[in-house]
Amino acid sequence: MAARLSGGENRLVSLPLSRIRVIMKSSPEVSSINQDALFLTAKATELFVQYLATYSYKHGRGKEKSALTYSDLSHTAEECETFQFLADILPKKILASKYLKMLEKEKRDGEVGEDEDNDEEDNEDESVEEDIGS
Amino acid sequence: MAERPEDLNLPNAVITRIIKEALPDGVNISKEARSAISRAASVFVLYATSCANNFAMKGKRKTLNAGDVLSAMEEMEFQRFVAPLKESLEVYRREQKGKKEARKDKDKKADSEEQDKSREEENDDDDERMEEEEQNEEEEVSSGRWWS
């Protein structure tokens, strides 16, 4: 991976620094960022994208099919400690039918925390769509 | 500043290109996988920023610097990034120095700070501030405490 870095790229960093800065500044405790720190964060993010993709591909099931899928990524977030911080945004998918059964069971178990249930439902709806035989 | 949630997204085309370059030729990357990696990258930026900021705070500094970001990488268990990052920072600094000298000449001729507007992507308000900071820094900051 390091070889790729120093190799014949014409641009040092391909992600837009302006956007990276917007994201960094969205963190309320950050007051200012010097140019070097901004550049390094952008570059680090590129390395991170490469690493996440290659790691998930190597350890994923898509390898036989020569494909990188969502479940390879959520698997990485779950299994690899370094990538654990992604677990919340890369949740494991479950089938809608399975989820409905879970919901029903929960209801039967008691009507506690109805609000919570609703929240969960919203989240799951997002990840349930397009579930492809995982 | 981030006004809409989309402002926290990174450009999909660029993310896709980075993924493609990293994987062997012909690997199919599902649309979902792409957007997941893109989201992950934004979260990575926030996580790195917050770690780096902790280091700056420990050093009683208000401005995040290169050392803070590198320390953050170690803390986040991305030590493997540190060496390549240092390497590209070197190149970047050299490049910026060259640009700055070219700019100074230009500024003398134009003798107006407003010219900043036309400079590549660095054209929102606090960029100017940042560049000034950076210039102050150039000489003294590598020791890490120009403000004190």
Side-chain angles (χ1 to χ4, degrees), chain B:
Chain B
M1 274 297 105
E3 271 148 20
R4 300 158 301 161
E6 308 93 84
D7 291 344
L8 302 182
N9 293 344
L10 292 163
N12 275 322
V14 183
I15 294 287
T16 305
R17 195 177 66 225
I18 300 171
I19 305 171
K20 281 206 169 134
E21 279 169 10
L23 293 176
D25 283 345
V27 173
N28 180 49
I29 309 144
S30 79
K31 202 179 161 199
E32 244 189 326
R34 284 179 219 191
S35 73
I37 293 179
S38 181
R39 263 182 291 142
S42 293
V43 170
F44 174 85
V45 174
L46 286 170
Y47 182 25
T49 305
S50 140
C51 281
N53 196 56
N54 284 342
F55 285 102
M57 269 162 52
K58 262 184 223 159
K60 302 215 163 74
R61 283 177 284 102
K62 280 185 188 151
T63 306
L64 299 195
N65 65 27
D68 296 328
V69 178
L70 293 173
S71 309
M73 290 304 122
E74 301 213 356
E75 174 133 319
M76 292 160 76
E77 289 176 50
F78 288 109
Q79 300 92 329
R80 52 166 55 229
F81 295 172
V82 172
L85 283 178
K86 280 184 178 164
E87 218 176 280
S88 18
L89 182 60
E90 284 297 303
V91 183
Y92 178 74
R93 279 177 169 159
R94 253 179 277 141
E95 235 176 49
Q96 289 300 100
K97 226 179 171 182
K99 267 190 206 166
K100 218 172 265 171
E101 263 142 41
R103 262 186 222 173
K104 268 180 198 159
D105 293 345
K106 218 178 162 189
D107 279 356
K108 264 181 214 157
K109 281 176 201 156
D111 92 351
S112 152
E113 270 289 301
E114 259 92 83
Q115 290 285 317
D116 273 347
K117 298 265 161 14
S118 56
R119 283 171 197 157
E120 26 171 350
E121 51 197 14
E122 314 277 323
N123 54 4
D124 34 310
D125 286 333
D126 40 17
D127 264 301
E128 284 177 20
R129 231 187 301 140
M130 214 168 57
E131 279 179 20
E132 279 162 29
E133 266 168 38
E134 190 206 352
Q135 276 168 359
N136 293 339
E137 226 183 345
E138 196 77 328
E139 291 83 20
E140 306 147 69
V141 169
S142 27
S143 66
R145 13 214 293 268
W146 52 279
W147 49 88
S148 56

Side-chain angles (χ1 to χ4, degrees), chain A residues 76-107:
Chain A
T76 297
E78 194 179 57
E79 299 299 320
C80 173
E81 214 180 306
T82 317
F83 290 112
Q84 209 103 72
F85 71 97
L86 299 172
D88 286 345
I89 61 149
L90 300 177
K92 268 249 150 87
K93 287 193 182 182
I94 59 168
L95 287 169
S97 57
K98 228 179 183 176
Y99 179 67
L100 290 175
K101 265 181 207 151
M102 268 170 56
L103 269 190
E104 253 165 48
K105 190 174 176 279
E106 240 168 72
K107 255 189 195 150

Side-chain angles (χ1 to χ4, degrees), chain A residues 43-83:
Chain A
K43 194 72 210 174
T45 309
E46 274 183 39
L47 295 177
F48 168 77
V49 167
Q50 292 173 355
Y51 186 34
L52 175 61
T54 49
Y55 186 97
S56 304
Y57 182 65
K58 266 186 209 142
H59 296 81
R61 270 182 303 168
K63 210 178 171 184
E64 305 107 64
K65 290 176 282 177
S66 195
L68 181 65
T69 64
Y70 177 87
S71 61
D72 296 332
L73 295 165
S74 63
H75 183 254
T76 297
E78 194 179 57
E79 299 299 320
C80 173
E81 214 180 306
T82 317
F83 290 112

